[in-house]
Every structure is written in structure tokens, then in C-alpha cells.
């Protein structure tokens, strides 16, 4: 059975990509809610409703586990929907928070994400549960998503916006920064350049793929067999399939069939 992965749009492909790399024998059904993107400024109620609808769709595809690749949907909907379905459901917040808590030395952790994710305070609540001494500094960076979708991944404008958003983390001496939005790993090099080599950048997409692997192992659901003949990945969107396909081509190493 495949793994279901969903996001508000294309960004979740950064999570799908990590699953493809780290669990190469698994099939994936991906759903991008391109008709209703962005989720970043929407209410909790709506995001729970959208997530529930998408999970129903994925359940119809007979998935064995679901990954909520969207940070905003993980922040708002994971707790609400987790027990409503009889497959394991994972979000991207907890895996990122766990690694950040383990790796910070000065106990000053920064979080960047959408307005919804940052205002939810969910990273802080996980991090403080893991280590009450950690100080969490959150900052919404809403301009990053359109910059990434415009393809300005290595661009002076993106570098300038990065400096404006992230200066605060330098001033407040964070040693660990969680890239708490699907799109941010794609501008990792710009963020790295501004923050410097010493700051640990946590990519929740990667950490989530590892967590998914141990969860599947534990539940004896991990596919250890070889690859099948047919293409193992299926993609669905709620609008503008062509635009999705074009963007997907810049993230994934092959053409996406829809
Ligand atoms: N996928 C969203 C997230 O990770 O929070 C970013 C895109 C959006 O919906 N604003």
C-alpha cells in the first residue's frame, strides 16, 4: 500500500522528495490543494476541514500511513484528525522540534514559518515539553513562499528579504533554526549564507522522512522489497495541474505524471 502525503500545494514535494530518497521502496500518493493554497493565513477551523477532506480522499486510495507535509496543516489539524482514522498520521512539526531540542547547545531555538504556524506557538509547546529551559523565538516570513514559487531561489531580492526577516535571530543569538515551512528548504543556501555556518538549520522534511521510516518499521509496515515495474508515485491536485507539474519538475528529478 502507498503512503499518502498532502500539502496546501507544491511545497510538500520537499517532504515527498525526502521520503523518496530515504524510503526508496515505498509508493506515494501525493495531494496538493492548489485550489485553496495558501493555508498560511487561514483559520484553524478551515484548515481542519480541508485536511479532513483530503485525508478522506487519501484513505480511498488505500494508503497505509499519512504524512501531513504542510507545516500550517500540521500545526492546526494534526491533533484534531489523528484519532479519527485508523492509519497512522504524522505531521512535520514534532520531528523538527525533537531534533532542534536535541541539537541546540545554548538553548535558543528560532522557528520560521507562515503566520499560522508561528502564531500557533506549537513549536514552542513541543520544545518546552522536551526541555523547559529552551527559549523559542518565532518569526513569520510570509514573503518567502511567493519568492520560492517565483523561482527566485538564488536572487538578491530573496537575500535582502532573508536579511530583513532573520536579523532578529542573529541579534538574539539562536544557535538552531527550524525551517518550519515546506518551501524554506529550497532557499536553504540563502538562509545558510546569512545565518553563517555555525547555526544549525533543521529541515523538518528530512527529519519527518526518518520518523516515518521508524514508525513503519515499528508497525511492520515498511516495504523492504525491490522496486516495482510501474512508476511508484501518483500526484493529484485540486486546481492548475500544469502549473503544479512545471514546479514539480524543478523539485523532483523526473517528470510528474498527472
Ligand atoms: N505548505 C505551507 C506550510 O508548510 O506551512 C506553506 C504554503 C502555504 O500554504 N502558505
Amino acid at each position: 500500500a502507498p503512503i499518502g502525503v498532502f500539502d496546501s500545494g507544491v511545497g510538500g514535494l520537499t517532504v515527498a522528495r525526502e521520503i523518496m530518497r530515504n524510503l526508496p521502496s515505498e509508493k506515494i500518493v501525493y495531494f496538493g490543494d492548489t485550489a485553496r493554497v495558501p493555508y498560511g493565513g487561514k483559520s484553524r477551523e478551515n484548515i481542519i476541514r480541508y485536511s479532513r477532506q483530503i485525508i478522506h480522499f487519501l484513505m480511498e486510495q488505500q494508503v497505509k500511513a499519512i504524512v501531513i507535509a504542510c507545516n500550517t496543516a500540521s500545526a492546526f489539524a494534526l491533533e484534531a484528525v489523528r484519532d479519527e482514522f485508523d492509519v497512522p498520521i504524522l505531521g512535520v512539526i514534532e520531528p523538527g522540534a525533537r531534533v532542534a531540542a536535541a541539537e541546540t547547545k545554548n538553548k535558543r531555538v528560532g522557528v520560521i514559518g507562515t503566520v499560522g504556524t508561528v502564531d500557533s506557538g506549537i513549536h514552542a509547546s513541543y520544545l518546552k515539553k522536551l526541555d523547559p529551559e529552551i527559549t523559542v523565538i518565532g518569526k513569520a516570513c510570509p514573503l518567502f513562499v511567493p519568492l520560492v514559487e517565483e523561482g527566485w531561489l538564488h536572487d538578491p531580492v530573496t537575500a535582502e528579504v532573508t536579511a530583513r526577516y532573520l536579523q532578529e535571530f542573529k541579534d538574539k543569538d539562536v544557535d538552531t533554526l527550524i525551517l518550519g515551512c515546506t518551501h524554506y528548504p529550497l532557499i536553504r543556501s540563502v538562509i545558510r549564507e546569512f545565518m553563517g555556518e555555525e547555526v544549525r538549520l533543521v529541515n523538518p522534511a528530512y527529519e519527518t522522512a526518518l520518523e516515518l521510516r521508524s514508525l513503519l518499521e515499528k508497525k511492520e509496515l515498511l516495504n523492504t522489497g525491490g522496486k516495482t515495474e510501474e512508476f511508484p508515485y501518483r500526484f493529484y491536485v485540486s486546481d492548475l495541474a500544469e502549473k503544479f507539474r512545471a514546479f514539480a519538475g524543478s523539485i523532483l528529478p523526473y517528470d510528474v505524471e498527472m
Side-chain angles (χ1 to χ4, degrees):
I3 293 158
V5 178
F6 77 91
D7 178 50
S8 54
V10 292
L13 290 173
T14 59
V15 179
R17 179 176 68 173
E18 295 296 344
I19 298 172
M20 293 167 185
R21 284 177 182 156
N22 292 286
L23 294 85
S25 301
E26 298 296 338
K27 295 184 193 148
I28 295 174
V29 181
Y30 183 96
F31 184 91
D33 196 2
T34 48
R36 298 186 288 199
V37 72
Y39 282 7
K42 294 206 169 69
S43 67
R44 175 181 299 271
E45 293 68 38
N46 271 324
I47 289 174
I48 293 175
R49 189 162 60 85
Y50 299 163
S51 300
R52 215 175 250 136
Q53 290 167 349
I54 296 167
I55 293 171
H56 278 292
F57 169 79
L58 292 172
M59 294 299 289
E60 283 165 20
Q61 315 301 310
Q62 316 286 337
V63 297
K64 62 181 172 185
I66 289 173
V67 176
I68 306 182
C70 179
N71 292 259
T72 312
S74 297
F76 284 165
L78 178 63
E79 289 309 319
V81 299
R82 191 174 234 166
D83 299 327
E84 289 175 18
F85 300 89
D86 57 4
V87 298
I89 304 180
L90 243 82
V92 287
I93 307 284
E94 219 177 328
R98 195 168 306 129
V99 171
E103 301 210 344
T104 179
K105 302 249 170 7
N106 69 1
K107 300 193 190 290
R108 303 179 68 75
V109 175
V111 179
I112 51 176
T114 64
V115 172
T117 301
V118 171
D119 284 358
S120 77
I122 189 162
H123 287 93
S125 65
Y126 279 129
L127 284 160
K128 293 219 177 267
K129 227 179 282 167
L130 294 162
D131 182 347
E133 284 177 18
I134 291 178
T135 301
V136 183
I137 297 137
K139 174 124 186 125
C141 304
L143 293 176
F144 280 165
V145 167
L147 286 169
V148 168
E149 296 201 0
E150 196 64 22
W152 294 7
L153 306 184
H154 311 275
D155 189 283
V157 172
T158 306
E160 178 69 31
V161 172
T162 301
R164 285 276 280 274
Y165 279 146
L166 304 190
Q167 182 60 43
E168 187 182 342
F169 294 115
K170 280 193 174 172
D171 297 342
K172 295 187 175 162
D173 194 30
V174 306
D175 74 349
T176 303
L177 180 64
I178 301 177
L179 308 181
C181 175
T182 48
H183 291 58
Y184 300 176
L186 299 171
I187 49 166
R188 191 194 177 103
S189 60
V190 179
I191 296 173
R192 161 65 65 217
E193 180 130 339
F194 181 76
M195 293 305 294
E197 288 300 322
E198 325 72 61
V199 172
R200 167 79 159 101
L201 301 181
V202 176
N203 177 3
Y206 172 71
E207 308 303 341
T208 301
L210 300 191
E211 182 140 328
L212 174 67
R213 188 169 59 200
S214 39
L215 178 104
L216 294 179
E217 249 160 15
K218 204 164 68 198
K219 296 197 177 283
E220 295 182 3
L221 290 170
L222 190 70
N223 190 0
T224 49
K227 291 198 174 191
T228 49
E229 290 295 299
E230 83 216 59
F231 193 65
Y233 310 129
R234 271 185 292 147
F235 301 87
Y236 297 89
V237 290
S238 45
D239 201 5
L240 298 175
E242 261 320 303
K243 193 175 161 207
F244 178 88
R245 239 166 65 86
F247 193 86
S250 70
I251 299 185
L252 302 176
Y254 41 72
D255 275 341
V256 161
E257 297 291 328
M258 317 240 349

